[in-house]
Amino acid sequence: MAHYVSWCGELPIYSEVSPQPPLTLQERRTRNKAASAKYRQKKSQQQKEMKRLVCHITEQNAILDRQLQELRAENDRLRKTTDQMRGQLVARKMFRQWLLKEAEAHPSSAHSNRSAFHPAWGAGHHLVQDEVDLLYPDDSDELF
């Protein structure tokens, strides 16, 4: 049996298992050259794939940035609309409360002709409240 020497780090490892003779310097150089070319080709392919991936992710990022800008603009528009509606609701509620207080403060002058249909003063007050409810319905007591 032939002795095969392989190098692992600094120390040679002897083996009697391999029936092949050691490689010549020319054979080792040829194999190393082929392995280096294969490695460079693989590395080049990995770089191309990485560039494609970066390009794809950059495009996706640009799309998401545009969507984010559109959604922020829509959110701002909706906030402004909500603020306007809240202001209108508050104004309506305040006006409604003012009308009711005025009706309570001046019950006979508010609807003197209608109070004739109702013997009690309270009935006239309910008529005023009903009219206010028709003109300015109160959807809820809570404001957003």
Side-chain angles (χ1 to χ4, degrees), residues 124-136:
H125 172 71
H126 288 297
L127 270 180
V128 171
Q129 175 128 10
D130 292 341
E131 289 177 354
V132 170
D133 287 341
L134 285 173
L135 291 173
Y136 301 100

Side-chain angles (χ1 to χ4, degrees), residues 33-47:
K33 189 175 180 180
S36 295
K38 184 178 176 182
Y39 174 79
R40 285 190 301 270
Q41 184 180 9
K42 181 180 175 183
K43 201 67 162 168
S44 175
Q45 185 65 28
Q46 287 175 342
Q47 287 178 344

Side-chain angles (χ1 to χ4, degrees), residues 5 14 22 24 27 32 39 41 48-49 53 63 65-66 72 88-89 96 99 101 106 109 111 121 135 139:
V5 179
Y14 295 94
T24 65
E27 291 171 332
N32 188 31
Y39 174 79
Q41 184 180 9
K48 286 178 185 178
E49 183 61 32
L53 183 61
I63 290 169
D65 278 342
R66 283 192 299 273
R72 283 185 174 162
Q88 290 171 358
L89 184 62
R96 183 176 191 272
L99 283 176
K101 285 181 184 177
H106 311 289
S109 64
H111 290 281
W121 173 82
L135 291 173
D139 299 331

Side-chain angles (χ1 to χ4, degrees), residues 5-14:
V5 179
S6 66
W7 291 85
C8 186
E10 296 281 329
L11 302 174
I13 298 174
Y14 295 94

Side-chain angles (χ1 to χ4, degrees), residues 41-121:
Q41 184 180 9
K42 181 180 175 183
K43 201 67 162 168
S44 175
Q45 185 65 28
Q46 287 175 342
Q47 287 178 344
K48 286 178 185 178
E49 183 61 32
M50 191 63 69
K51 285 180 182 180
R52 274 188 247 131
L53 183 61
V54 167
C55 184
H56 176 72
I57 290 174
T58 302
E59 289 173 0
Q60 287 293 95
N61 189 37
I63 290 169
L64 292 173
D65 278 342
R66 283 192 299 273
Q67 288 177 350
L68 178 63
Q69 289 173 357
E70 290 171 4
L71 289 172
R72 283 185 174 162
E74 182 180 4
N75 190 25
D76 288 343
R77 183 183 57 78
L78 291 173
R79 282 182 192 265
K80 288 176 185 176
T81 302
T82 303
D83 289 343
Q84 288 174 348
M85 294 177 83
R86 185 179 293 126
Q88 290 171 358
L89 184 62
V90 168
R92 184 185 318 165
K93 190 169 188 166
M94 290 174 63
F95 186 65
R96 183 176 191 272
Q97 290 172 354
W98 179 81
L99 283 176
L100 291 173
K101 285 181 184 177
E102 285 297 312
E104 288 174 4
H106 311 289
S108 61
S109 64
H111 290 281
S112 58
N113 58 346
R114 293 201 180 150
S115 62
F117 294 108
H118 301 280
W121 173 82

